[in-house]
């Protein structure tokens, strides 16, 4: 291959581990499909996240390399309190990213094929424009949610609607990517406040060459066809499901994983409900007790990932309890010996793919949603923040493949979901006759097919590659 045939694609993911891993998985898919492509992933540093440093130490592919940008001291991690910190963070790295890419391209003598930018990194579109390269947006969430953002942005910018008016209201509005009207109560809170900049990001998606989404046609057929039919939206490329494996595990986590799997190995098929609420999912005292009561009263076997809230006012990640008894009702661990296990960190994919697991009480983060479908495990939906309420609405109301615990629950709202509600949802979830099991199985059977040669995501990835390779002349 002549040197001039080499083309470089630059990825700029947002430095949150779930966004980063999906972006790297997409980069791997592209590099595997076309050996003329080399990929550089720019890593913006956040003081906070050690997981990112360890994840980006070694390259996942011979033609993918990580390039760490210097830390921008002017934007200390404390400013995450700002409503639009994500946008400010990306903006503050804009010049740095441009200079690094210019220098890299001069030294490589290759050609710049384009930029793949995280959904929160829209300020980097300016860098692509300045360097005369196309920009693509990477959305680690689903396509129905993407449609929600674009529709609300159009309502605000083209029809003069004030999003504040919807906040806290019982309004439901028709959004093209959903079959049913979507209640304002399940929209992400950030859309109600102009200062967060999320609709500003959505406005800029329209300027790009294409939008790559971590989803697949068989899972979101209505949303994907609706986006594709809208001439004001760039081409959408569903290339998922990109499933996040456990990543690099510490020795301590390997030990915990073995212990958890050994416990599951002793449980009957499809008998265990798994409760896990993501990397930031925590509950406080009274709510923890209600969950415990529900589990005990249901009599269902359970594996519960119970995380310790970080100190108030900090932005640290949840931790592990030295002794979970301090937050659980007295006697709970003793009463549930043999049928239940309370853990801290959980190897989620290993648990969901274990035959003993028959249900998943989840916060409905998009990665967890895809993993549940990949493993064929139905969900009881208990969203906490971000776009999780929207995902929960989609699973419960649109797809009828999940049980509702409370789809408009907001973390920090002071609302306590009572034991009776949780118990009832768990019983329904674990009922082998429940029709949601069939729905989940139907989609589960199509997940792997989407990714193999001739599958829908495989074909969309091919179209995306053609588009990228056509850009460089």
């Amino acid at each position: 291959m002549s040197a001039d045939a080499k083309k470089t694609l630059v990825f700029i993911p947002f430095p949150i581990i779930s966004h980063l891993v999906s972006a790297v998985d997409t980069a791997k898919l592209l590099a595997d499909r076309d050996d003329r492509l080399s990929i550089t992933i720019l890593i913006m540093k956040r003081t906070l996240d050690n997981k990112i440093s360890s994840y980006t130490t070694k390259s996942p592919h011979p033609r993918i390399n990580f390039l760490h940008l210097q830390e921008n001291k002017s934007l200390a991690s404390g400013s995450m309190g700002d409503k639009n910190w994500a946008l400010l963070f990306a903006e503050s790295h804009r010049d740095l990213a441009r200079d690094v890419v210019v220098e890299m391209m001069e030294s490589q003598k290759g050609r710049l094929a384009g930029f793949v930018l995280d959904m929160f990194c829209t300020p980097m579109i300016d860098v692509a424009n300045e360097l005369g390269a196309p920009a693509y947006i990477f959305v680690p969430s689903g396509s129905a949610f993407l449609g929600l953002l674009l529709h609300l942005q159009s309502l605000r910018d083209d029809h003069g609607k004030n999003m504040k008016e919807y906040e806290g209201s019982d309004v439901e509005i028709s959004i093209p990517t959903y079959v049913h009207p979507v209640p304002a109560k399940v929209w992400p809170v950030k859309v109600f406040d102009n200062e967060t900049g999320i609709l500003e990001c959505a406005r800029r998606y329209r300027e790009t060459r294409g939008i790559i989404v971590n989803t697949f046609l068989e899972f979101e057929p209505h949303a994907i066809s609706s986006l594709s039919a809208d001439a004001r939206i760039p081409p959408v490329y569903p290339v998922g499901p990109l499933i996040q494996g456990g990543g690099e595990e510490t020795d301590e986590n390997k030990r915990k994983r073995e212990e958890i799997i050994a416990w599951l190995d002793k449980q009957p098929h499809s008998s265990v409900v798994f409760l896990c609420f993501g990397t930031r999912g925590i509950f406080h005292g009274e709510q923890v007790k209600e969950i415990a009561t529900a589990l005990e009263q249901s009599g269902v076997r359970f594996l519960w990932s119970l995380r310790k809230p970080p100190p108030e006012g900090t932005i640290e990640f949840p931790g592990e309890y030295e002794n979970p008894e301090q937050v659980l009702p007295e006697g709970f661990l003793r009463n549930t010996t043999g049928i239940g296990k309370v853990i801290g960190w959980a190897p989620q994919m290993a648990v969901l793919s274990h035959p003993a697991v028959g249900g998943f009480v989840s916060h409905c983060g998009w990665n967890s949603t895809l993993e549940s479908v990949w493993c064929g495990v139905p969900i009881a939906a208990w969203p906490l923040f971000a776009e999780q309420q929207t995902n929960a609405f989609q699973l419960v109301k649109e797809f009828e493949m999940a049980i509702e615990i409370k789809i408009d629950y907001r973390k920090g709202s002071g609302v306590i979901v009572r034991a009776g509600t949780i118990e009832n949802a768990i019983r329904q979830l674990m009922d082998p006759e429940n029709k949601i099991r069939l729905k989940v199985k139907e989609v589960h059977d199509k997940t792997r097919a989407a990714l193999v040669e001739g599958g829908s995501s495989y074909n969309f990835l091919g179209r995306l590659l053609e588009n990228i390779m056509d850009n460089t002349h």
Side-chain angles (χ1 to χ4, degrees), residues 49-347:
D49 208 335
N50 297 329
K51 281 188 192 161
I52 285 183
S53 311
S54 59
Y55 183 77
T56 55
T57 44
K58 61 176 194 290
S59 169
H61 189 281
R63 276 178 287 104
I64 294 178
N65 69 307
F66 291 114
L67 203 54
H68 292 260
L69 297 177
Q70 289 167 325
E71 189 159 353
N72 189 327
K73 296 288 186 216
S74 67
L75 203 78
S77 50
S79 60
M80 268 177 77
D82 293 339
K83 288 175 175 176
N84 61 342
W85 79 271
L87 214 51
L88 288 174
F89 184 84
E91 219 160 70
S92 73
H93 287 78
R94 188 164 45 193
D95 293 351
L96 211 57
R98 180 198 59 218
D99 296 348
V100 161
V101 172
V102 166
E103 195 180 312
M104 176 183 83
M105 294 318 296
E106 280 172 359
S107 67
Q108 280 185 6
K109 303 275 187 291
R111 290 185 186 160
L112 185 56
F115 287 82
V116 176
L117 309 171
D118 184 90
M119 63 186 290
F120 294 135
C121 292
T122 49
M124 297 293 180
I125 294 172
D126 300 340
V127 176
N129 291 343
E130 201 177 320
L131 300 182
Y136 299 85
I137 290 295
F138 176 69
V139 177
S141 307
S143 57
F145 169 66
L146 166 64
L148 173 88
L149 289 184
L150 288 165
H151 188 76
L152 296 183
Q153 175 266 321
S154 174
L155 281 182
R156 186 193 74 174
D157 296 342
D158 306 329
H159 302 279
K161 294 279 189 218
N162 179 358
M163 290 297 130
K164 267 269 181 273
E165 289 171 17
Y166 295 106
E167 193 169 14
S169 78
D170 288 323
V171 170
E172 300 185 346
I173 70 165
S174 288
I175 288 166
T177 46
Y178 295 82
V179 175
H180 301 92
V182 185
K185 286 191 168 145
V186 301
W187 303 355
V189 290
K190 283 181 186 272
V191 304
F192 300 115
D193 187 341
N194 279 336
E195 285 177 39
T196 63
I198 189 154
L199 296 184
E200 212 40 54
C201 284
R203 185 177 60 77
R204 298 211 66 187
Y205 299 167
R206 297 180 188 275
E207 300 170 31
T208 62
R209 183 78 171 242
I211 306 175
I212 305 162
V213 192
N214 183 11
T215 189
F216 58 110
L217 188 58
E218 292 77 4
F219 188 39
E220 294 191 279
H222 174 80
I224 290 164
S225 59
S226 132
L227 290 167
S228 304
D230 187 333
R232 297 176 60 232
I233 297 173
V236 169
Y237 300 97
V239 299
L242 303 162
I243 298 295
Q244 307 194 352
E248 293 302 307
E249 281 181 11
T250 60
D251 289 345
E252 172 64 2
N253 282 356
K254 282 200 179 99
R255 186 190 62 71
K256 288 178 183 168
R257 169 201 284 265
E258 282 161 17
E259 187 188 300
I260 290 162
I261 299 303
W263 183 82
L264 285 171
D265 285 344
K266 298 191 187 103
Q267 312 308 317
H269 187 270
S270 269
S271 66
V272 175
V273 64
F274 173 45
L275 297 88
C276 189
F277 298 91
T279 43
R280 289 197 173 275
I282 43 136
F283 293 105
H284 291 277
E286 191 182 349
Q287 187 62 78
V288 170
K289 290 183 171 61
E290 295 289 329
I291 297 171
T293 305
L295 285 170
E296 192 173 336
Q297 287 175 351
S298 75
V300 169
R301 293 168 191 273
F302 65 86
L303 180 67
W304 180 8
S305 169
L306 175 62
R307 308 305 296 275
K308 181 182 181 180
E312 276 299 319
T314 68
I315 44 178
E316 292 168 29
F317 286 94
E320 306 275 314
Y321 284 106
E322 296 279 314
N323 174 15
E325 278 192 65
Q326 65 193 81
V327 283
L328 292 165
E330 198 178 334
F332 172 75
L333 290 176
R334 185 181 62 246
N335 299 347
T336 56
T337 305
I339 70 152
K341 186 172 178 60
V342 176
I343 57 174
W345 169 84

Side-chain angles (χ1 to χ4, degrees), residues 376-387:
V377 178
I379 281 179
W382 192 344
L384 304 176
F385 50 80
E387 93 293 16

